[in-house]
């Protein structure tokens, strides 16, 4: 039996660690070049949970952050982008926010959680790049509103070239939507703190302070409401050019099987994975994409135990069933229950994928099915 094993990057979201510890990586770095060469500088890219978004964000931070210039060859040297670096490599002050760690049990906790996450990103930015006085730092961090804190930061760094990267832009909003619809509407309303936050970023792009923006999330259900103040961003999620940027294609899954389980039947394993995980179709003119967490979970368990895992769904990826139950009560519960019945009876239901939701118009059947798809 062939005992050679590759290290599967299951659960790894830091690209530098992935490279340093010799995890196997299917090279997706060419998409950094494609994003940079695209004429739209402000981008949202959405994929379901555990789809490699945070790992890609980590790549962008190491690639564009000027503080990582001396490590460029060590981190990217063996990959496409290391051999074909772009003009933007390690040229930016990267401002990174991540909004998954917010307590949404009340209006106050949500606001304070958002404020603290903004503060964390700003503290990391100031600590990394300096360039301002202690009094300026105190003035920025003493702000009681997220948009005010961000505005003061941009003023202090008005001569910097900033790349804003936001991971999980919608995580807390999706939580609120499922359990507190009225609360959701108030947070993202015209006077809500979330919209003001994005309005501040938009103003900084107009002033030439923010040069690029890249945001990730799961669903577009809050994209319209939250970012009306940032209506200059483009949603690339269903574009053909970027269909394969995150996740695995079927040939890539076969490649992983060959490297991970060389003594097993490639044909049988790909058949099992296809039946279990099916794959996502983000663009009707493209091939299906497999969730990388599901594939890596399956292969890592098979690799350890020499058999298919008993639990076929990774517990880390299973959605909160309470949240889904609440979503079935959204807007038109009877219609939504009919969708569920159809899914349970036939295993599928036809719908047109909604690229961007808005609660200022009717939330129709296509919207609801699309929401389930994105989750």
């Amino acid at each position: 039996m062939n005992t050679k094993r590759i290290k599967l990057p299951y659960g790894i979201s830091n690209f530098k660690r992935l490279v340093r510890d010799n995890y196997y990586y299917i090279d997706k770095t060419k998409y950094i070049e494609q994003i940079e060469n695209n004429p739209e500088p402000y981008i949202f890219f959405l994929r379901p949970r555990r789809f490699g978004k945070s790992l890609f964000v980590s790549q962008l931070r190491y690639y564009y952050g000027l503080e990582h210039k001396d490590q460029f060859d060590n981190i990217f040297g063996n990959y496409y982008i290391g051999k074909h670096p772009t003009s933007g490599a390690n040229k930016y002050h990267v401002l990174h926010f991540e909004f998954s760690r917010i307590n949404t049990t009340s209006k106050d906790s949500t606001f304070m959680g958002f404020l603290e996450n903004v503060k964390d990103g700003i503290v990391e930015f100031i600590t990394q790049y300096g360039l301002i006085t202690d009094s300026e730092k105190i003035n920025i961090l003493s702000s009681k509103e997220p948009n005010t804190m961000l505005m003061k930061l941009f003023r202090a760094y008005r001569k910097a070239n900033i790349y804003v990267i936001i991971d999980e832009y919608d995580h807390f909003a999706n939580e609120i939507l499922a359990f507190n619809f009225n609360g959701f509407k108030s947070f993202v309303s015209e006077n809500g703190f979330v919209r003001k936050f994005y309005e501040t970023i938009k103003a900084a792009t107009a002033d030439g302070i923010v040069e690029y923006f890249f945001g990730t999330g799961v669903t577009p259900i809050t994209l319209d409401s939250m970012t009306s103040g940032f209506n200059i961003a483009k949603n690339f999620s269903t574009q053909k050019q970027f269909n394969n940027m995150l996740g695995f294609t079927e040939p890539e899954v076969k490649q992983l099987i060959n490297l991970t389980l060389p003594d097993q039947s490639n044909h049988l394993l790909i058949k099992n994975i296809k039946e279990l995980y099916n794959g996502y179709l983000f663009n009707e003119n493209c091939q299906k994409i497999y969730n990388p967490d599901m594939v890596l979970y399956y292969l890592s368990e098979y690799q350890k135990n020499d058999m298919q895992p008993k639990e076929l769904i990774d517990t880390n990826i299973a959605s909160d069933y309470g949240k889904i139950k609440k979503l079935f009560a959204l807007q038109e519960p009877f219609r939504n229950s009919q969708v569920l019945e159809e899914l349970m009876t036939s295993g599928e239901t036809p719908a047109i994928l909604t690229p961007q939701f808005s609660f200022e118009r009717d939330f129709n059947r296509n919207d609801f099915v699309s929401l389930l798809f994105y989750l």
Side-chain angles (χ1 to χ4, degrees):
M1 177 179 288
N2 190 334
T3 58
K4 184 179 180 180
R5 303 290 191 185
I6 63 168
K7 292 178 68 174
L8 294 171
Y10 171 70
I12 303 298
S13 59
N14 183 286
F15 190 68
K16 182 180 177 180
R17 181 188 175 189
L18 180 148
V19 175
R20 181 197 68 200
D21 294 349
N22 296 313
Y23 285 95
Y24 186 78
Y25 175 67
I26 292 179
D27 192 353
K28 303 280 186 174
T29 61
K30 68 178 182 180
Y31 292 103
I32 296 176
E33 178 184 60
Q34 292 184 26
I35 288 173
E36 186 171 322
N37 291 339
N38 198 284
E40 288 91 355
Y42 317 120
I43 296 167
F44 275 101
F45 194 79
L46 311 177
R47 283 295 181 264
R49 293 185 64 212
R50 307 279 293 189
F51 222 89
K53 298 185 294 294
S54 294
L55 180 61
F56 190 73
V57 161
S58 177
Q59 268 185 28
L60 293 180
R61 295 178 68 189
Y62 283 115
Y63 186 78
Y64 285 110
L66 57 86
E67 69 273 23
H68 301 299
K69 185 174 182 178
D70 292 342
Q71 305 175 68
F72 182 86
D73 289 338
N74 289 335
I75 297 174
F76 294 102
N78 292 328
Y79 303 107
Y80 174 88
I81 201 66
K83 298 169 184 175
H84 307 87
T86 65
S87 60
N90 301 124
K91 295 288 179 63
Y92 295 92
H93 300 79
V94 174
L95 177 58
H96 170 249
F97 299 108
E98 199 269 348
F99 291 124
S100 67
R101 306 180 307 276
I102 295 178
N103 179 355
T104 59
T105 54
S106 70
K107 183 176 181 179
D108 288 342
S109 70
T110 302
F111 173 79
M112 290 307 300
F114 190 88
L115 178 64
E116 286 303 312
N117 275 259
V118 171
K119 187 174 182 178
D120 287 346
I122 288 176
V123 167
E124 183 181 21
F125 183 88
I126 294 173
T127 302
Q128 180 62 61
Y129 300 114
L131 304 178
I132 62 173
T133 65
D134 288 342
S135 61
E136 286 177 309
K137 178 179 178 180
I138 292 170
N139 181 45
I140 293 168
L141 298 179
S142 63
S143 303
K144 303 300 182 183
E145 297 285 339
N147 64 304
T148 305
M149 190 181 297
L150 189 59
M151 188 183 303
K152 289 180 179 180
L153 178 80
F154 287 149
R155 286 175 181 170
Y157 285 88
R158 56 188 174 275
K159 293 184 179 180
N161 50 338
I162 296 177
Y163 198 133
V164 175
I165 299 177
I166 297 181
D167 196 12
E168 304 279 8
Y169 93 97
D170 60 337
H171 188 278
F172 73 98
N174 289 337
E175 293 278 343
I176 298 167
L177 177 64
F179 294 100
N180 185 357
F181 181 67
N182 290 330
F184 166 82
K185 294 185 73 173
S186 70
F187 295 145
V188 300
S189 67
E190 184 176 352
N191 295 316
F193 63 85
V194 175
R195 189 174 297 192
K196 288 181 179 179
F197 172 80
Y198 284 99
E199 287 174 349
T200 304
I201 297 176
K202 180 181 178 181
T205 66
D207 292 337
I209 300 170
V210 171
E211 295 197 26
Y212 289 94
F213 173 95
F214 187 88
T216 76
V218 173
T219 80
I221 197 162
T222 49
L223 200 57
D224 178 73
S225 301
M226 289 175 65
T227 62
S228 292
F230 190 61
N231 54 8
I232 56 176
K234 180 77 172 180
N235 183 359
F236 276 15
S237 308
T238 58
Q239 289 198 8
K240 183 178 180 180
Q241 179 183 359
F242 298 99
N243 186 71
N244 302 349
M245 187 167 81
L246 301 183
F248 299 142
T249 62
E250 188 163 310
E252 289 168 345
V253 173
K254 290 179 179 178
Q255 177 184 339
L256 282 170
I257 292 172
N258 285 333
L259 292 169
T260 307
L261 304 167
D263 299 305
Q264 301 295 328
S265 167
N266 187 301
H267 174 75
L268 180 60
L269 285 176
I270 195 66
K271 180 176 180 292
N272 289 343
I273 290 174
K274 185 179 292 187
E275 288 178 352
L276 293 170
Y277 306 134
N278 192 28
Y280 288 80
L281 189 63
F282 299 110
N283 182 298
E284 61 185 4
N285 297 314
C286 297
Q287 58 188 317
K288 285 187 175 182
I289 300 296
Y290 290 80
N291 184 303
D293 179 275
M294 291 182 180
V295 173
L296 292 174
Y297 164 76
Y298 180 93
L299 292 178
S300 63
E301 290 296 305
Y302 207 127
Q303 190 181 59
K304 286 185 292 186
N305 302 310
D306 202 29
M307 61 183 295
Q308 180 172 282
K310 292 182 179 179
E311 298 293 334
L312 298 177
I313 301 296
D314 180 5
T315 55
N316 290 320
I317 206 171
S319 294
D320 183 331
Y321 292 109
K323 184 196 305 182
I324 292 178
K325 183 179 179 180
K326 284 284 186 179
L327 289 174
F328 273 92
L330 193 63
Q331 301 283 299
E332 295 187 33
F334 179 72
R335 177 204 63 198
N336 299 341
S337 64
Q338 288 181 313
V339 170
L340 177 61
E341 184 176 350
E342 186 174 353
L343 285 170
M344 294 180 67
T345 302
S346 64
E348 61 183 31
T349 185
I352 298 173
L353 193 64
T354 301
Q356 189 158 312
F357 295 78
S358 173
F359 286 99
E360 295 177 0
R361 59 172 173 77
D362 290 337
F363 188 75
N364 60 37
R365 184 183 182 281
N366 284 331
D367 293 335
F368 180 71
V369 175
S370 296
L371 176 57
L372 296 180
F373 169 81
Y374 283 110
L375 290 174

PDB file of all heavy atoms in Angstrom, residues 56-74:
ATOM      1  N   PHE A  56      -8.619  33.220   1.318  1.00  0.00           N
ATOM      2  CA  PHE A  56      -8.336  34.129   0.207  1.00  0.00           C
ATOM      3  C   PHE A  56      -8.084  35.546   0.719  1.00  0.00           C
ATOM      4  O   PHE A  56      -7.199  36.252   0.221  1.00  0.00           O
ATOM      5  CB  PHE A  56      -9.485  34.121  -0.800  1.00  0.00           C
ATOM      6  CG  PHE A  56      -9.160  34.851  -2.072  1.00  0.00           C
ATOM      7  CD1 PHE A  56      -8.290  34.303  -3.000  1.00  0.00           C
ATOM      8  CD2 PHE A  56      -9.702  36.096  -2.334  1.00  0.00           C
ATOM      9  CE1 PHE A  56      -7.966  34.980  -4.169  1.00  0.00           C
ATOM     10  CE2 PHE A  56      -9.391  36.782  -3.502  1.00  0.00           C
ATOM     11  CZ  PHE A  56      -8.521  36.220  -4.420  1.00  0.00           C
ATOM     12  N   VAL A  57      -8.855  35.958   1.722  1.00  0.00           N
ATOM     13  CA  VAL A  57      -8.619  37.264   2.343  1.00  0.00           C
ATOM     14  C   VAL A  57      -7.211  37.318   2.928  1.00  0.00           C
ATOM     15  O   VAL A  57      -6.501  38.328   2.804  1.00  0.00           O
ATOM     16  CB  VAL A  57      -9.680  37.540   3.432  1.00  0.00           C
ATOM     17  CG1 VAL A  57      -9.217  38.632   4.388  1.00  0.00           C
ATOM     18  CG2 VAL A  57     -11.004  37.940   2.792  1.00  0.00           C
ATOM     19  N   SER A  58      -6.792  36.239   3.568  1.00  0.00           N
ATOM     20  CA  SER A  58      -5.437  36.169   4.116  1.00  0.00           C
ATOM     21  C   SER A  58      -4.399  36.313   3.009  1.00  0.00           C
ATOM     22  O   SER A  58      -3.387  37.015   3.171  1.00  0.00           O
ATOM     23  CB  SER A  58      -5.247  34.837   4.851  1.00  0.00           C
ATOM     24  OG  SER A  58      -3.927  34.697   5.335  1.00  0.00           O
ATOM     25  N   GLN A  59      -4.640  35.672   1.883  1.00  0.00           N
ATOM     26  CA  GLN A  59      -3.753  35.824   0.726  1.00  0.00           C
ATOM     27  C   GLN A  59      -3.628  37.281   0.323  1.00  0.00           C
ATOM     28  O   GLN A  59      -2.521  37.796   0.102  1.00  0.00           O
ATOM     29  CB  GLN A  59      -4.313  35.049  -0.471  1.00  0.00           C
ATOM     30  CG  GLN A  59      -3.818  33.654  -0.624  1.00  0.00           C
ATOM     31  CD  GLN A  59      -4.333  33.022  -1.907  1.00  0.00           C
ATOM     32  OE1 GLN A  59      -4.610  33.712  -2.883  1.00  0.00           O
ATOM     33  NE2 GLN A  59      -4.478  31.720  -1.899  1.00  0.00           N
ATOM     34  N   LEU A  60      -4.766  37.954   0.198  1.00  0.00           N
ATOM     35  CA  LEU A  60      -4.759  39.358  -0.218  1.00  0.00           C
ATOM     36  C   LEU A  60      -3.981  40.223   0.768  1.00  0.00           C
ATOM     37  O   LEU A  60      -3.241  41.133   0.369  1.00  0.00           O
ATOM     38  CB  LEU A  60      -6.192  39.879  -0.341  1.00  0.00           C
ATOM     39  CG  LEU A  60      -7.061  39.284  -1.453  1.00  0.00           C
ATOM     40  CD1 LEU A  60      -8.453  39.908  -1.423  1.00  0.00           C
ATOM     41  CD2 LEU A  60      -6.423  39.497  -2.823  1.00  0.00           C
ATOM     42  N   ARG A  61      -4.145  39.951   2.046  1.00  0.00           N
ATOM     43  CA  ARG A  61      -3.451  40.755   3.058  1.00  0.00           C
ATOM     44  C   ARG A  61      -1.940  40.572   2.963  1.00  0.00           C
ATOM     45  O   ARG A  61      -1.180  41.543   3.053  1.00  0.00           O
ATOM     46  CB  ARG A  61      -3.952  40.384   4.455  1.00  0.00           C
ATOM     47  CG  ARG A  61      -5.411  40.722   4.692  1.00  0.00           C
ATOM     48  CD  ARG A  61      -5.867  40.281   6.066  1.00  0.00           C
ATOM     49  NE  ARG A  61      -5.227  41.068   7.114  1.00  0.00           N
ATOM     50  CZ  ARG A  61      -5.317  40.790   8.408  1.00  0.00           C
ATOM     51  NH1 ARG A  61      -5.997  39.726   8.817  1.00  0.00           N
ATOM     52  NH2 ARG A  61      -4.717  41.554   9.300  1.00  0.00           N
ATOM     53  N   TYR A  62      -1.488  39.338   2.772  1.00  0.00           N
ATOM     54  CA  TYR A  62      -0.055  39.099   2.638  1.00  0.00           C
ATOM     55  C   TYR A  62       0.479  39.630   1.308  1.00  0.00           C
ATOM     56  O   TYR A  62       1.623  40.084   1.222  1.00  0.00           O
ATOM     57  CB  TYR A  62       0.257  37.604   2.752  1.00  0.00           C
ATOM     58  CG  TYR A  62       0.234  37.088   4.173  1.00  0.00           C
ATOM     59  CD1 TYR A  62      -0.720  36.156   4.586  1.00  0.00           C
ATOM     60  CD2 TYR A  62       1.165  37.533   5.109  1.00  0.00           C
ATOM     61  CE1 TYR A  62      -0.745  35.686   5.890  1.00  0.00           C
ATOM     62  CE2 TYR A  62       1.146  37.070   6.416  1.00  0.00           C
ATOM     63  CZ  TYR A  62       0.189  36.148   6.799  1.00  0.00           C
ATOM     64  OH  TYR A  62       0.161  35.694   8.097  1.00  0.00           O
ATOM     65  N   TYR A  63      -0.346  39.595   0.295  1.00  0.00           N
ATOM     66  CA  TYR A  63       0.109  40.021  -1.032  1.00  0.00           C
ATOM     67  C   TYR A  63       0.188  41.542  -1.154  1.00  0.00           C
ATOM     68  O   TYR A  63       1.145  42.079  -1.715  1.00  0.00           O
ATOM     69  CB  TYR A  63      -0.824  39.468  -2.114  1.00  0.00           C
ATOM     70  CG  TYR A  63      -0.335  39.757  -3.516  1.00  0.00           C
ATOM     71  CD1 TYR A  63       0.697  39.007  -4.077  1.00  0.00           C
ATOM     72  CD2 TYR A  63      -0.881  40.797  -4.265  1.00  0.00           C
ATOM     73  CE1 TYR A  63       1.167  39.283  -5.352  1.00  0.00           C
ATOM     74  CE2 TYR A  63      -0.416  41.077  -5.539  1.00  0.00           C
ATOM     75  CZ  TYR A  63       0.610  40.320  -6.077  1.00  0.00           C
ATOM     76  OH  TYR A  63       1.087  40.601  -7.338  1.00  0.00           O
ATOM     77  N   TYR A  64      -0.805  42.237  -0.617  1.00  0.00           N
ATOM     78  CA  TYR A  64      -0.851  43.686  -0.811  1.00  0.00           C
ATOM     79  C   TYR A  64      -0.259  44.487   0.347  1.00  0.00           C
ATOM     80  O   TYR A  64       0.140  45.637   0.158  1.00  0.00           O
ATOM     81  CB  TYR A  64      -2.292  44.132  -1.069  1.00  0.00           C
ATOM     82  CG  TYR A  64      -2.761  43.778  -2.458  1.00  0.00           C
ATOM     83  CD1 TYR A  64      -3.722  42.799  -2.666  1.00  0.00           C
ATOM     84  CD2 TYR A  64      -2.215  44.410  -3.571  1.00  0.00           C
ATOM     85  CE1 TYR A  64      -4.137  42.460  -3.941  1.00  0.00           C
ATOM     86  CE2 TYR A  64      -2.620  44.080  -4.854  1.00  0.00           C
ATOM     87  CZ  TYR A  64      -3.583  43.104  -5.037  1.00  0.00           C
ATOM     88  OH  TYR A  64      -3.979  42.775  -6.309  1.00  0.00           O
ATOM     89  N   GLY A  65      -0.199  43.918   1.539  1.00  0.00           N
ATOM     90  CA  GLY A  65       0.341  44.655   2.673  1.00  0.00           C
ATOM     91  C   GLY A  65       1.818  44.973   2.492  1.00  0.00           C
ATOM     92  O   GLY A  65       2.637  44.066   2.319  1.00  0.00           O
ATOM     93  N   LEU A  66       2.168  46.248   2.539  1.00  0.00           N
ATOM     94  CA  LEU A  66       3.564  46.626   2.297  1.00  0.00           C
ATOM     95  C   LEU A  66       4.497  46.077   3.371  1.00  0.00           C
ATOM     96  O   LEU A  66       5.701  45.918   3.152  1.00  0.00           O
ATOM     97  CB  LEU A  66       3.690  48.144   2.180  1.00  0.00           C
ATOM     98  CG  LEU A  66       3.206  49.039   3.324  1.00  0.00           C
ATOM     99  CD1 LEU A  66       4.277  49.228   4.375  1.00  0.00           C
ATOM    100  CD2 LEU A  66       2.785  50.400   2.768  1.00  0.00           C
ATOM    101  N   GLU A  67       3.933  45.728   4.541  1.00  0.00           N
ATOM    102  CA  GLU A  67       4.759  45.199   5.626  1.00  0.00           C
ATOM    103  C   GLU A  67       5.253  43.776   5.353  1.00  0.00           C
ATOM    104  O   GLU A  67       6.142  43.278   6.051  1.00  0.00           O
ATOM    105  CB  GLU A  67       3.977  45.232   6.949  1.00  0.00           C
ATOM    106  CG  GLU A  67       2.805  44.266   7.039  1.00  0.00           C
ATOM    107  CD  GLU A  67       1.502  44.826   6.493  1.00  0.00           C
ATOM    108  OE1 GLU A  67       1.558  45.766   5.659  1.00  0.00           O
ATOM    109  OE2 GLU A  67       0.433  44.331   6.886  1.00  0.00           O
ATOM    110  N   HIS A  68       4.682  43.121   4.344  1.00  0.00           N
ATOM    111  CA  HIS A  68       5.074  41.740   4.041  1.00  0.00           C
ATOM    112  C   HIS A  68       6.012  41.643   2.834  1.00  0.00           C
ATOM    113  O   HIS A  68       6.267  40.547   2.336  1.00  0.00           O
ATOM    114  CB  HIS A  68       3.826  40.889   3.775  1.00  0.00           C
ATOM    115  CG  HIS A  68       2.857  40.853   4.918  1.00  0.00           C
ATOM    116  ND1 HIS A  68       3.191  40.355   6.155  1.00  0.00           N
ATOM    117  CD2 HIS A  68       1.567  41.278   5.008  1.00  0.00           C
ATOM    118  CE1 HIS A  68       2.142  40.463   6.968  1.00  0.00           C
ATOM    119  NE2 HIS A  68       1.158  41.019   6.303  1.00  0.00           N
ATOM    120  N   LYS A  69       6.528  42.768   2.387  1.00  0.00           N
ATOM    121  CA  LYS A  69       7.345  42.790   1.169  1.00  0.00           C
ATOM    122  C   LYS A  69       8.557  41.869   1.272  1.00  0.00           C
ATOM    123  O   LYS A  69       8.887  41.142   0.318  1.00  0.00           O
ATOM    124  CB  LYS A  69       7.796  44.221   0.884  1.00  0.00           C
ATOM    125  CG  LYS A  69       8.551  44.371  -0.429  1.00  0.00           C
ATOM    126  CD  LYS A  69       8.851  45.840  -0.731  1.00  0.00           C
ATOM    127  CE  LYS A  69       9.554  45.975  -2.074  1.00  0.00           C
ATOM    128  NZ  LYS A  69       9.814  47.410  -2.416  1.00  0.00           N
ATOM    129  N   ASP A  70       9.213  41.863   2.420  1.00  0.00           N
ATOM    130  CA  ASP A  70      10.426  41.048   2.574  1.00  0.00           C
ATOM    131  C   ASP A  70      10.123  39.549   2.600  1.00  0.00           C
ATOM    132  O   ASP A  70      11.035  38.732   2.443  1.00  0.00           O
ATOM    133  CB  ASP A  70      11.163  41.439   3.860  1.00  0.00           C
ATOM    134  CG  ASP A  70      11.752  42.842   3.791  1.00  0.00           C
ATOM    135  OD1 ASP A  70      11.897  43.362   2.672  1.00  0.00           O
ATOM    136  OD2 ASP A  70      12.049  43.420   4.859  1.00  0.00           O
ATOM    137  N   GLN A  71       8.857  39.189   2.809  1.00  0.00           N
ATOM    138  CA  GLN A  71       8.479  37.776   2.872  1.00  0.00           C
ATOM    139  C   GLN A  71       7.848  37.279   1.577  1.00  0.00           C
ATOM    140  O   GLN A  71       7.406  36.131   1.503  1.00  0.00           O
ATOM    141  CB  GLN A  71       7.474  37.557   4.008  1.00  0.00           C
ATOM    142  CG  GLN A  71       7.933  38.036   5.371  1.00  0.00           C
ATOM    143  CD  GLN A  71       6.829  37.897   6.402  1.00  0.00           C
ATOM    144  OE1 GLN A  71       6.439  36.791   6.778  1.00  0.00           O
ATOM    145  NE2 GLN A  71       6.293  39.018   6.853  1.00  0.00           N
ATOM    146  N   PHE A  72       7.798  38.149   0.568  1.00  0.00           N
ATOM    147  CA  PHE A  72       7.040  37.826  -0.645  1.00  0.00           C
ATOM    148  C   PHE A  72       7.475  36.499  -1.265  1.00  0.00           C
ATOM    149  O   PHE A  72       6.643  35.635  -1.557  1.00  0.00           O
ATOM    150  CB  PHE A  72       7.185  38.953  -1.672  1.00  0.00           C
ATOM    151  CG  PHE A  72       6.391  38.719  -2.929  1.00  0.00           C
ATOM    152  CD1 PHE A  72       5.063  39.094  -3.009  1.00  0.00           C
ATOM    153  CD2 PHE A  72       6.966  38.095  -4.037  1.00  0.00           C
ATOM    154  CE1 PHE A  72       4.318  38.870  -4.160  1.00  0.00           C
ATOM    155  CE2 PHE A  72       6.235  37.859  -5.186  1.00  0.00           C
ATOM    156  CZ  PHE A  72       4.907  38.249  -5.245  1.00  0.00           C
ATOM    157  N   ASP A  73       8.761  36.323  -1.476  1.00  0.00           N
ATOM    158  CA  ASP A  73       9.242  35.103  -2.137  1.00  0.00           C
ATOM    159  C   ASP A  73       8.959  33.860  -1.302  1.00  0.00           C
ATOM    160  O   ASP A  73       8.611  32.798  -1.847  1.00  0.00           O
ATOM    161  CB  ASP A  73      10.737  35.213  -2.428  1.00  0.00           C
ATOM    162  CG  ASP A  73      11.049  36.206  -3.539  1.00  0.00           C
ATOM    163  OD1 ASP A  73      10.139  36.477  -4.349  1.00  0.00           O
ATOM    164  OD2 ASP A  73      12.176  36.716  -3.584  1.00  0.00           O
ATOM    165  N   ASN A  74       9.111  33.971   0.012  1.00  0.00           N
ATOM    166  CA  ASN A  74       8.859  32.818   0.877  1.00  0.00           C
ATOM    167  C   ASN A  74       7.392  32.408   0.863  1.00  0.00           C
ATOM    168  O   ASN A  74       7.066  31.215   0.936  1.00  0.00           O
ATOM    169  CB  ASN A  74       9.284  33.134   2.314  1.00  0.00           C
ATOM    170  CG  ASN A  74      10.790  33.217   2.471  1.00  0.00           C
ATOM    171  OD1 ASN A  74      11.537  32.625   1.691  1.00  0.00           O
ATOM    172  ND2 ASN A  74      11.246  33.967   3.467  1.00  0.00           N
TER     173      ASN A  74
END
